[in-house]
């Protein structure tokens, strides 16, 4: 009897923490996101100059309070799953662990700003977005990017070759066309090929910091051509991903139910077994009114 009560307690805790399809799971995720936002805000405000020591001490106590809260939440997650190691080494498990470690290492490192890494936990907002019927297709987008990886690699290779050639050409053009008695004129800002490649990357991506600019007419001509090429190529990877995204668009809707064994998501609503590990899925319909 005691063992059954413990199993029921773990199952109820699991549904609240991991199942965003239930009312309790929805409120848990919302409260968690609010706590993350408040914690990141406290760490950010602490870096503002002009705060009194009393205000800094208050923010420090608030941060430690959130850290203890997140630590308890992490332990409860480990207790509620059937295979804690699978969760601990999953993406969200690693993010949850990293989010609490910086504060504990503050006395050693002396820096508290690393605590903002817990903002990565805001990625859980996608679960709530699905729950409140907003459009969230992050999983399909990730699969589309992965499917188009070969095309993207080829595209990046072409870009790398282009900026290398353009940077090298600009380095030679600026040295030759600039009037000077020495081989490396003082007037030019293209002092090396790596420096010129950096300029080519900034120019081709249309960022244009302006810290390095050509001084000669041939150099400005090459710069204009590179800007036009950048505008032409910037839409190429978007087309690759969009095509894969359309091809992989799911016809059936999936639920947010998480497998208690391997932590996989994206199952069909009527799925009885996990799509990844094959273990039976535990229905949370009986606990939907929690």
């Amino acid at each position: 009897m005691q063992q059954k009560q413990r199993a029921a307690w773990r199952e109820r805790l699991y549904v609240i923490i991991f199942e965003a399809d239930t009312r309790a799971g929805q409120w848990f995720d919302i409260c968690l996101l609010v706590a993350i936002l408040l914690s990141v805000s406290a760490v950010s405000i602490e870096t503002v100059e002009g705060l009194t020591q009393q205000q800094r001490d208050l923010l420090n106590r608030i941060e430690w309070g959130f850290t203890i809260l997140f630590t308890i939440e992490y332990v409860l997650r480990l207790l509620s799953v059937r295979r804690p190691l699978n969760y601990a080494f999953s993406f969200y498990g690693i993010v949850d662990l990293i989010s609490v470690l910086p504060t504990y290492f503050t006395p050693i490192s002396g820096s508290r700003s690393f605590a903002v890494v817990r903002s990565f936990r805001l990625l859980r907002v996608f679960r709530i977005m699905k729950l409140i019927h907003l459009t969230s297709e992050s999983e399909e987008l990730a699969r589309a990017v992965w499917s188009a990886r070969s095309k993207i690699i080829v595209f990046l290779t072409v870009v790398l070759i282009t900026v290398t050639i353009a940077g090298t050409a600009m380095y030679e053009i600026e040295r030759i066309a600039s009037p000077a008695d020495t081989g490396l004129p003082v007037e030019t800002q293209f002092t090396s090929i790596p420096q010129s490649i950096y300029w080519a990357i900034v120019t081709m991506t249309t960022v244009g910091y302006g810290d390095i600019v050509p001084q000669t007419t041939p150099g400005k001509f090459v710069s204009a051509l590179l800007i036009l090429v950048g505008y032409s190529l910037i839409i190429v990877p978007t087309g690759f991903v969009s095509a894969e995204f359309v091809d992989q668009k799911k016809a059936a809707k999936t639920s947010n139910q998480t497998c208690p064994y391997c932590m996989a998501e994206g199952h069909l609503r009527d799925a009885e077994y996990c799509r990844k590990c094959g273990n039976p899925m535990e229905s949370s319909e009986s606990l939907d009114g929690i």
Side-chain angles (χ1 to χ4, degrees), residues 7-272:
W9 175 81
R10 286 184 59 186
E11 181 179 355
R12 181 179 295 269
L13 182 63
Y14 173 84
V15 170
I16 294 175
I17 294 179
F18 286 97
E19 300 298 342
D21 286 334
T22 64
R23 184 179 302 174
Q26 176 187 8
W27 280 108
F28 177 84
D29 284 342
I30 292 176
C31 292
L32 177 62
L33 293 177
V34 171
I36 294 171
L37 287 172
L38 292 176
S39 174
V40 173
S41 299
V43 175
S44 302
I45 293 174
E46 192 178 2
T47 62
V48 176
E49 296 182 359
L51 294 178
T52 63
Q53 187 60 40
Q54 184 179 3
Q55 291 172 331
R56 295 186 184 277
D57 292 339
L58 175 61
L59 292 172
N60 183 43
R61 289 193 293 268
I62 292 175
E63 173 57 24
W64 272 105
F66 280 120
T67 300
I68 294 174
L69 179 65
F70 293 144
T71 303
I72 296 174
E73 179 230 347
Y74 180 75
V75 174
L76 290 177
R77 288 181 182 273
L78 291 175
L79 292 176
S80 63
V81 297
R82 294 184 179 275
R83 297 179 180 177
L85 288 179
N86 285 356
Y87 162 72
F89 289 100
S90 66
F91 173 76
Y92 282 118
I94 295 174
V95 170
D96 292 343
L97 177 61
I98 293 176
S99 68
V100 300
L101 290 180
T103 305
Y104 290 111
F105 284 103
T106 298
I108 300 175
S109 62
S111 176
R112 293 170 43 78
S113 58
F114 289 106
V116 297
V117 298
R118 66 183 46 158
S119 60
F120 283 106
R121 302 191 70 190
L122 293 174
L123 293 173
R124 295 183 183 275
V125 72
F126 291 115
R127 294 168 57 85
I128 298 179
M129 289 175 66
K130 291 181 182 179
L131 189 61
I132 60 178
H133 308 294
L134 295 178
T135 303
S136 174
E137 301 179 346
S138 57
E139 294 181 1
E140 288 84 350
L141 180 59
R143 283 193 292 268
V145 173
W146 180 251
S147 299
R149 63 189 183 278
S150 299
K151 300 182 182 69
I152 295 176
I153 290 174
V154 173
F155 168 76
L156 292 177
T157 302
V158 173
V159 171
L160 180 61
I161 294 173
T162 303
V163 296
T164 302
I165 294 175
T168 304
M170 183 63 75
Y171 170 71
E172 295 295 340
I173 289 173
E174 286 291 291
R175 293 180 69 234
I176 295 173
S178 297
D181 297 330
T182 59
L184 185 63
V186 179
E187 292 82 0
T188 182
Q189 295 175 312
F190 296 83
T191 56
S192 65
I193 291 180
Q195 179 90 333
S196 303
I197 292 176
Y198 159 77
W199 165 85
I201 294 174
V202 172
T203 302
M204 191 173 184
T205 55
T206 68
V207 175
Y209 291 130
D211 54 343
I212 304 175
V213 293
Q215 303 294 329
T216 64
T217 301
K220 293 177 181 180
F221 178 75
V222 173
S223 179
L225 289 179
L226 194 60
I227 293 174
L228 294 177
V229 172
Y231 273 115
S232 302
L233 294 180
I234 198 170
I235 62 173
V236 174
T238 305
F240 294 155
V241 176
S242 299
E244 294 292 341
F245 183 78
V246 172
D247 293 340
Q248 297 189 14
K249 182 69 176 176
K250 288 184 176 180
K253 294 183 178 180
T254 59
S255 69
N256 290 324
Q257 190 173 7
T258 306
C259 175
Y261 295 92
C262 67
M263 312 307 299
E265 296 183 357
H267 302 89
L268 296 178
R269 297 187 181 278
D270 58 350
E272 298 181 359

